[in-house]
Amino acid sequence: MAQLLLPFSDGYLEYLSDESRRSGTATHIAFPTCAEELSSIFNELETAGLPFTIQGARTGLDGAAIPQGGAIINCTAMDSFISLRRDSDGAFLLRAGCGVTLSALERCLTFRDFPHSAWDADSLATLEELKDSPSLFWPPSPTESGATIGGTVAGNARGIYSYRYGNVQDYVFDPVYAGSVLSEMVLKLIPMPESVWGLAFFFESEGAALDFAREVHITANPSIAAIEFLNKPTLENIALLRETASRLQALPEIDERFRAMIYTEIHAALDDEAEDCASLLLDIAAQYGSDLDSSWALSGDSEVARIRIIRHAAQEASLAAFDRVWGGTSNIYAPGIDISLPGNSPRDELAPYEQALAAAGLGAAIFGNPGGGRLRICPAPQSIAEFEVAKSLIAQWKEGAPL
Amino acid sequence: MKICVCIKQVPRHEGRMDSVRGVIDRSAGERIINPHDESALELALRLRDEMSARLHAVSMGPGFAEQTLRDACASGADAAFLISGSEFSGADIAATSYALSLFTADYDVIICGSHTTDGGTGQTGSAIAARLGIPFVGDITSLEACSENDLTVRCLSETAHSTFQIQLPCVLSPVSGAFPLRMPNIKSKLASKKAEIIRLCANDLGGDSGRLGLAGSKTRVTKILTQEREPVSPLLDADTTACARAIWEAVGERGIS
């Protein structure tokens, strides 16, 4: 076997950091392609007495992929689709390596095909069945499509569809570990709903947007798959990103008078159900003062993807804004925290956080699922002093200090 | 002024071929508006708004192509027509342009997309113009001016930008992407679900039924060859170093130095 554990050199510098914009150090790095190689690397590490850090695609926001000395084990090359079966209910079960990215999985599902040169006869037969089946998807969908499935599962990431489809663990079976690393797993694929709608509502008041989200949540309409909130700084960051990101340029510019957007996605078995749900959302949005003439509405999965992309851009735009101020500055990382809003009034529960930010003179991008009680706050420090304040605030919030 | 935009429903991805008839099986998979027709629809909407005109959308295809016309209504088309029936099935450019020329004969401006993602001849607009004996201007990048009698448009060629003043009636075709299609709002989207899509058969169009569909087509697909290839493109998704390494290895495997 070729040497798997390589001495760290400048050619690998990018593996010292991740999307948190933190940076670490390492003496070695390895890129295993299968569980066997991974085990071999662990043996080498044990012999050498080296600590190690496991990496996926380094899209995490909390710095979990940052090495603290020792070796980096980057699993992105463990990206094979291994087999395909069906369970007793007919659901398709796809075994895949931990390094498969969500975008690669989505692409294969879209085209109903997978790299299958090493598949056995049963898998190939099942693949033919999949080609004749309705469109499928894997519900856990973190907004970062570059993430690996290993990272998604290990981090128990919650995508925008967790609102309807539940936890990532409900769609992962039969995990295989090499040492402490989840090396491969079986993904349960489910049929894409027949009718998919994407709706964006804009509000001149952030409070009205959050109240709208709460009201939609209270309806408990089973067709609602996602309710996502983006505040004004998030929309401003996306507007800046739009200048250079061609995929965002197909979207209309958002009027500056709007202070918040709510993205909702409808998944229904029938067109009539989706229309009824859209009508319900229209009525509630009107009740909370949304400008309906400025709303966006598309149907069909590929069309809806055009709007969905704006929610997916929220985090990227926030990091791009951070990089514009701090790009290349050492010892400064992008501050951010996921907060839980367990009550039934996201407006009231978010207010103390925003008041603390305002008192510190800090702007912040805030986005996420207020109906499901989870938002991400990304303060935007413009100076070292503000960075220290942001760090301090986040530390307080993590410790659950009274607000 | 009456404006007609011709749009087509296409498979989102490669459709399966009916190897017997040599045509695309349009019954399976997600179906979308031909992406190049979006620019045509938006140009038509802008012209409609500018001239306070009436905009009709027309499509020729199976019954489920109604959805594409509803989407056009959601974007702002005032009325929609579906030319449908077995007599139109399997039409090539000659038969398609004949049917569409029968429908569009009374319009002041007819707008088509640059080409489709399935047929891809890129000749529908010019063929309609030829049949109606009216001018055709393609590769339009902007609408400069319009009046009851003529339009001024800017076009892109391989070597230059040109500005044309065209007398009405005429046929126009914009560059794909030059006019990004506006986003429907929830009110127009819901209204489009209840919009009447007027169905037209061969009798409604008049003309010579022998010039429609497969019977009226001048070309036949006699053989379909499937290109053997890897099922999934090796799109590299990793970070820069890993991508560079993968490219280096792929080049090496192919013996390229």
Side-chain angles (χ1 to χ4, degrees):
Chain A
M1 189 178 290
Q3 185 186 2
L4 296 170
L5 195 57
L6 308 169
F8 196 85
S9 66
D10 284 354
Y12 302 116
L13 282 177
E14 63 189 282
Y15 295 97
L16 296 179
S17 61
D18 69 4
E19 290 287 3
S20 71
R21 303 305 197 255
R22 289 178 167 90
S23 188
T25 61
T27 58
H28 292 77
I29 190 165
F31 299 92
T33 61
C34 60
E36 187 188 10
E37 288 187 3
L38 194 52
S39 297
S40 174
I41 290 163
F42 282 134
N43 289 339
E44 271 193 75
L45 290 172
E46 195 172 347
T47 304
L50 277 174
F52 60 88
T53 301
I54 302 294
Q55 285 184 347
R58 297 177 295 116
T59 56
L61 302 170
D62 298 318
I66 304 300
Q68 305 297 321
I72 296 168
I73 302 177
N74 185 290
C75 296
T76 50
M78 298 176 68
D79 59 352
S80 51
F81 295 99
I82 298 162
S83 66
L84 187 65
R85 295 285 191 275
R86 299 186 84 160
D87 67 12
S88 54
D89 296 326
F92 287 92
L93 303 174
L94 176 69
R95 180 172 289 280
C98 63
V100 167
T101 61
L102 294 163
S103 58
L105 174 63
E106 184 185 345
R107 199 163 48 247
C108 289
L109 289 172
T110 298
F111 288 96
R112 301 183 193 206
D113 208 348
F114 299 85
H116 54 251
S117 55
W119 281 16
D120 61 19
D122 284 348
S123 292
L124 292 172
T126 311
L127 179 59
E128 289 308 310
E129 293 173 17
L130 183 144
K131 287 178 179 177
D132 288 329
S133 74
S135 297
L136 299 167
F137 79 121
W138 191 54
S141 173
T143 51
E144 174 50 68
S145 63
T148 61
I149 57 170
T152 302
V153 174
N156 200 21
R158 296 165 65 96
I160 65 171
Y161 300 137
S162 61
Y163 184 78
R164 168 167 176 164
Y165 293 99
N167 198 295
V168 63
Q169 305 299 342
D170 298 332
Y171 299 92
V172 176
F173 301 96
D174 196 16
V176 174
Y177 287 88
S180 58
V181 178
L182 177 61
S183 64
E184 61 183 62
M185 67 216 81
V186 170
L187 311 179
K188 181 176 183 178
L189 309 174
I190 67 169
M192 183 73 81
E194 188 67 28
S195 189
V196 178
W197 285 47
L199 305 168
F201 295 99
F202 297 92
F203 297 83
E204 293 185 40
S205 147
E206 183 182 296
L210 289 165
D211 288 346
F212 166 75
R214 180 205 57 199
E215 194 70 22
V216 172
H217 175 65
I218 289 170
T219 66
N221 187 301
S223 297
I224 294 169
I227 310 172
E228 294 285 317
F229 164 82
L230 290 81
N231 76 341
K232 174 78 170 170
T234 305
L235 297 177
E236 289 171 341
N237 289 341
I238 291 172
L240 284 171
L241 183 64
R242 186 180 184 276
E243 292 173 8
T244 53
S246 57
R247 67 187 188 287
L248 290 169
Q249 286 164 6
L251 292 171
E253 289 184 39
I254 296 169
D255 194 312
E256 287 185 4
R257 71 193 154 100
F258 294 125
R259 300 200 60 78
M261 167 185 156
I262 299 284
Y263 172 71
T264 59
E265 198 163 312
I266 297 170
H267 288 188
L270 300 169
D271 282 341
D272 285 350
E273 286 175 10
E275 283 176 49
D276 288 348
C277 185
S279 296
L280 173 71
L281 293 176
L282 180 150
D283 290 343
I284 300 173
Q287 187 185 330
Y288 285 95
S290 176
D291 178 354
L292 299 176
D293 290 331
S294 299
S295 62
W296 300 347
L298 290 173
S299 62
D301 189 51
S302 59
E303 287 292 291
V304 169
R306 292 168 55 185
I307 305 183
R308 190 187 295 137
I309 199 171
I310 197 168
R311 168 61 186 94
H312 285 196
Q315 181 65 52
E316 180 188 356
S318 168
L319 289 170
F322 173 84
D323 287 342
R324 275 191 288 277
V325 178
W326 297 103
T329 310
S330 57
N331 300 320
I332 300 287
Y333 57 86
I337 182 172
D338 290 321
I339 61 165
S340 173
L341 310 176
N344 61 6
S345 177
R347 177 211 279 253
D348 294 338
E349 291 174 275
L350 181 60
Y353 292 94
E354 293 195 304
Q355 285 159 8
L357 288 162
L362 277 168
I366 303 175
F367 47 86
N369 172 4
R374 283 177 72 93
L375 290 175
R376 182 161 186 85
I377 300 178
C378 300
Q382 304 295 309
S383 66
I384 296 285
E386 286 189 1
F387 173 73
E388 293 299 331
V389 171
K391 260 193 351 182
S392 169
L393 273 178
I394 287 172
Q396 288 174 40
W397 293 339
K398 278 185 176 166
E399 287 166 12
L403 294 167
Chain B
M1 179 186 283
K2 284 176 67 183
I3 304 166
C4 180
V5 61
C6 304
I7 59 177
K8 186 178 184 186
Q9 188 181 61
V10 296
R12 180 184 174 193
H13 303 296
E14 292 172 32
R16 297 182 186 190
M17 294 297 293
D18 178 337
S19 56
V20 177
R21 299 172 67 226
V23 297
I24 292 175
D25 173 7
R26 300 180 189 280
S27 63
E30 189 182 352
R31 296 175 287 262
I32 58 172
I33 182 173
N34 170 41
H36 309 294
D37 290 347
E38 290 191 354
S39 207
L41 177 54
E42 179 60 29
L43 172 58
L45 288 163
R46 290 186 197 181
L47 191 57
R48 188 273 311 268
D49 294 345
E50 196 75 25
M51 298 300 297
S52 300
R54 289 279 297 170
L55 170 59
H56 294 171
V58 64
S59 187
M60 196 171 98
F64 43 71
E66 264 197 20
Q67 181 55 48
T68 294
L69 289 165
R70 291 193 188 284
D71 290 343
C73 291
S75 292
D78 299 307
F81 299 83
L82 178 63
I83 299 172
S84 192
S86 57
E87 60 271 41
F88 299 104
S89 179
D92 71 354
I93 185 62
T96 300
S97 62
Y98 179 68
L100 289 174
S101 67
L102 292 174
F103 178 80
T104 56
D106 292 334
Y107 287 88
D108 300 294
V109 181
I110 302 151
I111 306 179
C112 299
S114 58
H115 60 287
T116 59
T117 54
D118 53 359
T121 64
Q123 296 172 19
T124 304
S126 53
I128 293 171
R131 290 191 182 282
L132 295 176
I134 59 177
F136 167 80
V137 178
D139 297 327
I140 295 168
T141 56
S142 66
L143 175 65
E144 302 288 306
C146 46
S147 75
E148 292 291 338
N149 300 316
D150 55 51
L151 302 172
T152 305
V153 294
R154 195 166 159 81
C155 304
L156 177 68
S157 72
E158 285 183 7
T159 53
H161 279 283
S162 310
T163 302
F164 292 98
Q165 188 175 23
I166 324 146
Q167 278 199 322
L168 306 188
C170 66
V171 182
L172 309 177
S173 177
V175 168
S176 183
F179 300 90
L181 181 58
R182 64 193 63 183
M183 185 73 76
N185 65 47
I186 187 166
K187 291 192 291 187
S188 65
K189 181 73 180 167
L190 283 168
S192 74
K193 294 292 175 186
K194 295 177 174 57
E196 183 189 9
I197 308 296
I198 301 162
R199 291 225 187 184
L200 302 172
C201 64
N203 283 342
D204 297 321
L205 292 182
D208 177 358
S209 60
R211 298 173 69 183
L212 300 173
L214 267 178
S217 294
K218 307 295 185 193
T219 56
R220 290 282 189 282
V221 178
T222 56
K223 190 173 184 182
I224 299 168
L225 299 174
T226 304
Q227 185 181 4
E228 292 298 331
R229 59 177 181 174
E230 286 291 314
V232 176
S233 311
L235 181 62
L236 302 174
D237 230 4
D239 49 59
T240 318
T241 306
C243 285
R245 184 179 298 109
I247 292 169
W248 180 250
E249 288 170 359
V251 167
E253 284 169 11
R254 286 159 179 76
I256 303 168
S257 58

